[in-house]
Amino acid sequence: MVVGIIIAVVVVLILAIIIKIYNGLVVLKNRVENQGAQVEVQLKRRADLIPNLIETTKGYANYEKATLERVTELRSKVLNASSASESYQASNALGRELNQILVHSENYPELKANTNFMKLHEELADTEDKIVKARQFYNDTVMKYNTQIMMFPKSVFAGIFGFKKFDLLEATPEEKKSVKIEANTFQF
């Protein structure tokens, strides 16, 4: 009888530990997914600002049609991406194109003086800051989650319950390149 009680207590303790570990991993996984969604919110905000920026820019500067079409195409890819990875890749390319437009706007004093353009420029700069912060927080959350699912004994239960590693958002090779400044021309 005493042995039966001891076995029951041990089984209950083991189940409580398993439940605690499982619930902790679920909380961390949900945080990672939430932070990924926060990055997506900021990427969508940037994409929503782009049509206004393009229309304002078209009226003042003689940009190549191909550049504006490329921005529109990349915006569409961000909004219609089927995976987070695809969205982040399109977003990185979109950011580079937007930087080109904003840098080249320096050559158009009448565009820089336009209130709408300046407001959009400020909103985009603010959104870019928010994207950077959201990505940093996402990576911090992913690191914590990945660490937990790799540490013993949680790694055993993570494997049993199907918890998988998340990838960090890393800078692309293009983003790692130095910015080259030549006279009045900027190249990325």
Side-chain angles (χ1 to χ4, degrees):
M1 175 96 142
V2 174
V3 174
I5 293 173
I6 292 172
I7 291 174
V9 168
V10 169
V11 168
V12 168
L13 284 174
I14 290 172
L15 283 174
I17 290 169
I18 291 171
I19 290 169
K20 182 175 175 24
I21 289 172
Y22 178 82
N23 288 342
L25 292 175
V26 167
V27 166
L28 288 174
K29 182 177 183 256
N30 287 340
R31 285 183 185 158
V32 169
E33 290 171 350
N34 178 48
Q35 289 311 309
Q38 297 303 319
V39 173
E40 290 292 326
V41 165
Q42 295 307 322
L43 295 178
K44 175 144 179 19
R45 183 177 190 276
R46 176 181 18 169
D48 289 345
L49 292 171
I50 291 170
N52 294 331
L53 179 70
I54 289 174
E55 287 306 312
T56 303
T57 304
K58 273 186 195 176
Y60 286 88
N62 294 320
Y63 284 105
E64 294 180 20
K65 185 178 179 184
T67 302
L68 296 176
E69 286 174 355
R70 177 84 176 134
V71 168
T72 302
E73 173 190 329
L74 289 169
R75 175 186 180 268
S76 178
K77 283 184 178 181
V78 169
L79 294 175
N80 298 317
S82 59
S83 69
S85 175
E86 188 179 309
S87 174
Y88 298 142
Q89 288 175 351
S91 173
N92 289 339
L94 179 59
R96 287 189 300 277
E97 291 292 330
L98 285 175
N99 283 336
Q100 288 291 336
I101 289 174
L102 296 175
V103 166
H104 289 298
S105 71
E106 297 292 322
N107 297 329
Y108 298 91
E110 67 278 3
L111 178 60
K112 283 176 48 180
N114 180 285
T115 307
N116 290 335
F117 179 81
M118 292 310 295
K119 185 173 189 271
L120 288 167
H121 188 288
E122 288 170 15
E123 285 186 46
L124 276 170
D126 180 54
T127 300
E128 292 298 326
D129 288 343
K130 288 178 182 177
I131 290 170
V132 167
K133 289 175 186 169
R135 285 177 160 203
Q136 288 172 337
F137 198 69
Y138 173 85
N139 281 346
D140 290 345
T141 306
V142 166
M143 185 191 70
K144 185 174 182 179
Y145 168 81
N146 286 345
T147 300
Q148 290 297 310
I149 67 168
M150 293 170 66
M151 293 176 61
F152 185 81
K154 291 181 182 178
S155 61
V156 173
F157 296 106
I160 291 170
F161 294 120
F163 289 91
K164 306 280 187 219
K165 278 182 69 174
F166 280 91
D167 292 330
L168 295 170
L169 298 178
E170 297 179 2
T172 63
E174 293 83 20
E175 291 172 320
K176 292 178 183 178
K177 290 180 183 175
S178 298
V179 176
K180 295 180 183 178
I181 302 173
E182 299 174 9
N184 280 338
T185 311
F186 293 89
Q187 295 179 337
F188 291 91

